[in-house]
Amino acid sequence: MKRDFCKLLAAAMAATTLISGCNSAQLELDSEDEVAVEESDFADSENKSDEESANESEESSEEKSDDDDSKEDSSTEDSNEYFYADVQDEYVYVVDEFLYEDITEVSVKVELLESYDGGNVYSLNIDYNDCPGRYYYETTDRFYLGTIYVTADRIYMIKDSESVPSKEEFEDSGIEICSALDSEIDKNGEVVSIENDGDVCTCSMYNSQTESGFYESFEWTKGKGLTHYRSGYGAEGDPIELDLNDTDAESASEDEVESADQTEAVAKEFFEDLIGTYTYDNGSQDGKEGVVEIKNIDDRLVIADYLGGNTSNYRYMFNTSECVKVEDNMAYVEYAHSAREDGTADYWYYVFEKTETGINVYFSEDSFEDVELLYNARRR
């Protein structure tokens, strides 16, 4: 009986093994495989998470880059063409008046203080040692030109501020010192006017309640910045007057001088070939007669037309510096026939043409385009 029970138990165990299709060793392997699969799934999940994180980081970086570009674009859009084209640490100004100091130039420092949505805040300071007249009523520093807020179309100023004013403070209580619109306002006797003339915007401020009041003016030029600054008291007391040292203008002036020198050299060569005395009569415009003399005096060529041959009664007298161009065997002379006290003059226009027998002289009171034959002068 006991033997039969053992046989039945062995058979049952064998059947169980056959039904499950595995033994204990196989179970252990399956358990390890399950763990490996779970670890692999975790690793894949972790890698996926890293990729997603990397993508998010890249997207975030791109968004940040876009934001930076947006800010840069915004800054570009908000630039004001009347402010300094190249904002740098300092600019050199030529001194017209600087209190009572004996100096020829001074620097103005430009410092970026803050950037707002729509514009930037700067401070402008004259860089010079302390000296008498520097302080307005012994409090306000006249070397400190102000804290200014520069937007795309306006420049605001707040004179005295212990901290950097907000955008709203500039817009609400600041003074507009540059705008495309001409204006004039009176704030309790402080008159502020803005006037535009071509590429120049000028802001003038003064106290209308007293003759000895403080005045101040800012002149902004498109593409250059603050080109002229002036301040002082009534009757020009303690004056400060500065002009931006314009290197472009200096270069242009040098080019003009060089061009004028070249023109005069060509004109000198033109008239040297005509040195001598010429006579004319029955001029086509006025019927007068006279004598033309071209001679070298102290290494300067002088060209003169004496009416009736009388050297005290000349129609014109000039040297080669008044010749503006030489073209096609013709010399063009802009002749200042009368001068004014302010340094300006009225001009007449002469054209000299070489001929086989002498000189044809053309004349107009208006322009070179309107000249007509005045006379033909023959060499004597």
Side-chain angles (χ1 to χ4, degrees):
M1 183 70 174
K2 184 176 181 181
R3 184 179 298 166
D4 292 339
F5 176 80
C6 290
K7 287 180 179 180
L8 289 171
L9 180 61
M13 292 178 66
T16 301
T17 302
L18 289 171
I19 291 170
S20 65
C22 61
N23 54 26
S24 61
Q26 184 65 46
L27 288 173
E28 290 180 3
L29 288 173
D30 290 344
S31 177
E32 291 175 2
D33 288 343
E34 289 177 7
V35 172
V37 169
E38 290 176 359
E39 289 179 349
S40 175
D41 291 344
F42 177 80
D44 290 342
S45 175
E46 191 173 33
N47 290 337
K48 184 177 181 181
S49 176
D50 289 345
E51 290 177 1
E52 291 176 351
S53 176
N55 290 336
E56 289 176 359
S57 176
E58 186 175 351
E59 290 174 0
S60 174
S61 177
E62 289 176 356
E63 290 176 0
K64 184 175 181 182
S65 176
D66 291 341
D67 289 343
D68 290 342
D69 292 341
S70 175
K71 287 180 180 178
E72 185 175 341
D73 292 343
S74 174
S75 176
T76 300
E77 292 172 0
D78 293 333
S79 62
N80 188 314
E81 56 188 348
Y82 283 90
F83 196 58
Y84 298 100
D86 179 22
V87 178
Q88 57 189 37
D89 289 339
E90 62 182 44
Y91 287 83
V92 176
Y93 284 76
V94 176
V95 171
D96 297 322
E97 301 280 354
F98 196 78
L99 304 173
Y100 301 102
E101 300 294 294
D102 185 17
I103 58 173
T104 58
E105 63 181 34
V106 70
S107 294
V108 172
K109 288 189 174 181
V110 181
E111 182 181 357
L112 175 64
L113 302 180
E114 186 62 84
S115 293
Y116 296 134
D117 180 21
N120 296 323
V121 181
Y122 301 89
S123 66
L124 272 62
N125 285 279
I126 296 174
D127 185 19
Y128 191 70
N129 298 328
D130 191 11
C131 64
R134 174 176 179 173
Y135 293 96
Y136 174 51
Y137 285 121
E138 305 301 326
T139 54
T140 301
D141 188 355
R142 293 181 59 195
F143 290 1
Y144 178 58
L145 305 188
T147 302
I148 63 174
Y149 176 48
V150 182
T151 71
D153 56 359
R154 287 177 172 82
I155 299 177
Y156 299 87
M157 180 186 71
I158 290 181
K159 198 68 176 179
D160 297 311
S161 181
E162 294 182 358
S163 59
V164 179
S166 66
K167 173 183 175 181
E168 291 71 24
E169 286 175 319
F170 276 110
E171 294 175 344
D172 294 341
S173 58
I175 299 172
E176 283 190 20
I177 58 174
C178 184
S179 171
L181 299 177
D182 291 358
S183 62
E184 182 171 315
I185 60 173
D186 188 332
K187 290 186 176 180
N188 301 320
E190 291 292 334
V191 179
V192 181
S193 64
I194 292 178
E195 182 178 349
N196 288 272
D197 183 11
D199 290 341
V200 178
C201 178
T202 302
C203 174
S204 301
M205 296 177 280
Y206 67 93
N207 189 325
S208 62
Q209 296 180 332
T210 172
E211 292 183 359
S212 59
F214 185 72
Y215 64 84
E216 191 171 26
S217 67
F218 297 80
E219 185 177 286
W220 304 91
T221 301
K222 189 179 294 185
K224 296 179 180 179
L226 181 63
T227 50
H228 184 77
Y229 173 79
R230 182 170 172 260
S231 69
Y233 303 92
E236 301 295 325
D238 289 346
I240 292 178
E241 188 168 359
L242 311 174
D243 289 293
L244 180 64
N245 188 7
D246 192 344
T247 54
D248 291 339
E250 287 182 356
S251 177
S253 178
E254 290 173 358
D255 291 342
E256 290 174 0
V257 169
E258 183 178 356
S259 177
D261 289 344
Q262 292 174 348
T263 299
E264 185 173 4
V266 174
K268 187 174 182 180
E269 182 178 349
F270 178 93
F271 284 105
E272 276 180 344
D273 191 43
L274 294 173
I275 289 177
T277 303
Y278 303 78
T279 60
Y280 64 88
D281 54 21
N282 298 322
S284 61
Q285 282 196 27
D286 55 17
K288 296 179 180 178
E289 61 180 29
V291 174
V292 177
E293 286 188 353
I294 301 175
K295 53 188 175 182
N296 194 326
I297 302 176
D298 297 331
D299 201 31
R300 296 176 65 217
L301 282 173
V302 177
I303 300 94
D305 178 342
Y306 302 107
L307 292 171
N310 184 353
T311 57
S312 63
N313 183 21
Y314 58 86
R315 186 196 300 267
Y316 58 74
M317 181 183 292
F318 62 90
N319 58 56
T320 50
S321 65
E322 295 185 59
C323 181
V324 295
K325 66 177 179 179
V326 176
E327 288 182 356
D328 299 329
N329 211 36
M330 292 183 172
Y332 295 75
V333 175
E334 200 172 61
Y335 177 64
H337 68 89
S338 63
R340 303 188 186 93
E341 292 182 358
D342 62 2
T344 60
D346 293 321
Y347 293 91
W348 284 343
Y349 301 87
Y350 289 93
V351 178
F352 294 78
E353 179 185 26
K354 292 180 182 179
T355 69
E356 292 182 357
T357 58
I359 312 168
N360 283 337
V361 179
Y362 301 84
F363 169 75
S364 170
E365 293 185 359
D366 302 315
S367 69
F368 289 122
E369 288 75 17
D370 299 326
V371 296
E372 295 181 1
L373 180 66
L374 179 61
Y375 54 75
N376 173 263
R378 297 175 177 272
R379 187 183 290 272
R380 181 183 291 176

